Amino acid sequence: MTSIALLGAGGKMGYRLSRNLKATRFDVRHVEVSPAGRDRLKTGIGLDCVDLDTALDGAQLVVLAVPDTAIGKVAGGIESNLKAGTIVVVLDAAAPFAGHLPHRDDLTYFVTHPCHPPIFNDESEAAARHDHFGGLHAKQHIVNALMQGPEAHYAVGEEVARAIWAPVMRSHRVTVEQMALLEPGLSETVAATLLDVMREAMDEVVARGVPHEAARDFLLGHLNVLGAVIFKEVDGVFSDACNKAITFGKPQLMQPDWKRVFEPAELAASIQRITSLFQNA
C-alpha cells in the first residue's frame, strides 16, 4: 500500500480529505495538532491520529492540508524528515508559486485544486445539488500540476487528487503558473470580486425600494440564463437591448486596463498579499 502522511487531518479541509481517503487503497497516517480536530476525526469517522515522526517515517506522500499562510513553515519544519523521492502534495498554488516550499531537487512537488461543482450540471439528488464546495456528493473537475519531480510521479499524484476531491469528472493538467492564473487570478480577483459587486448592486436596488426577496430571485434567475448564453451552455443570443446595456455598462463598471490583474507582476503581488501572514510571522 502507498503510505500517505496527512498533515492537518482534522481541520476544515483535512477532515474532508480524511473521509474520502478512508475508502481508498492508501495507508493514511493522520496528523492533527488541535485537540478539537483530533476529536472530530475520532467521533466523526473513527480515525486515530499519530505523532508527526510516526506519520513521516516511510511515508511516500505527504499531503499538506494546512492554510496557505502556514505551508512554508510546515514544509520547512518537516524537510529534514523527508527522504529523497517523497511526493509532497499541496492543495493550492499560492505558496508554491510564491516560493515557500523548501528548495530540494530530490523532492516531488505536486499541486492540486478543485474546480468545485459546476453551476450547469446534471445532479438529480438533493444532497449533490446542495454540495456547493464538492468532495461530498456532487461531481466536480480538478486541476493538477507537477511542479517538480519525475514524470512518473504525476500519475501517483493524480490518483491521490482524484481520491481527495471525489467524485471527479475531468482532471486537467496545468502548470503552477497556469494554476495561479486560475486562482487567485480568475476565480478570486475577478470572479469573486464581480460577484461581490453584484451582491452590492442587489443591496442597492433593495435600498431603493425593491423587496429583498424579489431582487434576489430576479438576480439569481438572470445569472442562470445570462450565464448559460455567455458560456455557451445553450445556443442562444441576447436581445439588442441587453447587448446595448452591456456595451454601455462595461466602461461604467470596469477600468480599461483591468486585465492587468493577469500580468505576472500583478499576479505575484496578489499571491504575496495572500501569503503575507506567513511572511510576517
Side-chain angles (χ1 to χ4, degrees):
M1 296 177 69
T2 301
S3 56
I4 297 176
L6 176 56
L7 278 57
K12 182 179 179 181
M13 181 66 75
Y15 185 85
R16 291 171 175 268
L17 272 57
S18 296
R19 183 194 54 245
N20 284 355
L21 285 169
K22 187 178 180 181
T24 68
R25 70 176 181 86
F26 299 109
D27 166 33
V28 184
R29 297 95 172 266
H30 304 83
V31 178
E32 174 57 52
V33 298
S34 162
R38 292 196 295 269
D39 182 66
R40 186 182 303 118
L41 283 171
K42 183 65 175 178
T43 59
I45 43 183
L47 295 174
D48 293 310
C49 291
V50 299
D51 63 78
L52 182 60
D53 289 340
T54 299
L56 295 176
D57 184 22
Q60 295 157 285
L61 293 97
V62 178
V63 179
L64 302 179
V66 299
D68 291 336
T69 53
I71 290 290
K73 184 176 182 179
V74 173
I78 65 172
E79 178 187 0
S80 61
N81 298 87
L82 303 181
K83 67 179 186 298
T86 301
I87 302 174
V88 179
V89 179
V90 185
L91 308 181
D92 190 278
F97 184 90
H100 292 169
L101 295 177
H103 297 289
R104 274 186 56 183
D105 293 337
D106 61 347
L107 296 178
T108 292
Y109 291 144
F110 184 90
V111 188
T112 181
H113 198 74
C115 296
H116 304 300
I119 293 175
F120 307 114
N121 58 72
D122 62 355
E123 303 292 359
S124 58
E125 299 295 328
R129 291 197 302 272
H130 292 286
D131 180 16
H132 302 295
F133 184 91
L136 288 174
H137 310 284
K139 300 184 292 293
Q140 64 178 334
H141 310 296
I142 61 175
V143 292
N144 308 302
L146 182 64
M147 183 176 181
Q148 67 175 48
E151 179 61 26
H153 280 180
Y154 181 84
V156 181
E158 186 181 37
E159 182 183 0
V160 173
R162 283 184 171 275
I164 63 179
W165 306 128
V168 170
M169 293 182 285
R170 288 191 292 271
S171 175
H172 302 283
R173 183 169 184 174
V174 297
T175 66
V176 170
E177 292 74 19
Q178 290 169 339
M179 198 179 292
L181 283 168
L182 295 173
E183 185 168 302
L186 181 62
S187 62
E188 295 175 342
T189 305
V190 177
T193 299
L194 294 180
L195 285 168
D196 195 57
V197 169
M198 291 181 199
R199 173 57 193 267
E200 288 187 22
M202 186 193 79
D203 292 341
E204 180 64 21
V205 301
V206 170
R208 291 172 181 263
V210 178
H212 179 273
E213 191 172 10
R216 188 176 187 275
D217 288 346
F218 201 84
L219 176 60
L220 295 182
H222 276 73
L223 283 176
N224 187 26
V225 64
L226 295 172
V229 173
I230 289 173
F231 290 97
K232 306 300 182 184
E233 185 69 17
V234 298
D235 184 15
V237 295
F238 291 151
S239 66
D240 290 342
C242 183
N243 285 326
K244 288 181 179 178
I246 293 172
T247 299
F248 287 97
K250 189 176 292 186
Q252 294 290 321
L253 298 174
M254 306 296 293
Q255 296 287 343
D257 62 343
W258 69 267
K259 291 181 182 178
R260 72 181 187 280
V261 301
F262 295 113
E263 292 298 325
E266 290 287 340
L267 200 60
S270 175
I271 290 175
Q272 185 65 27
R273 289 190 292 272
I274 292 171
T275 59
S276 62
L277 289 178
F278 166 70
Q279 293 294 319
N280 296 331

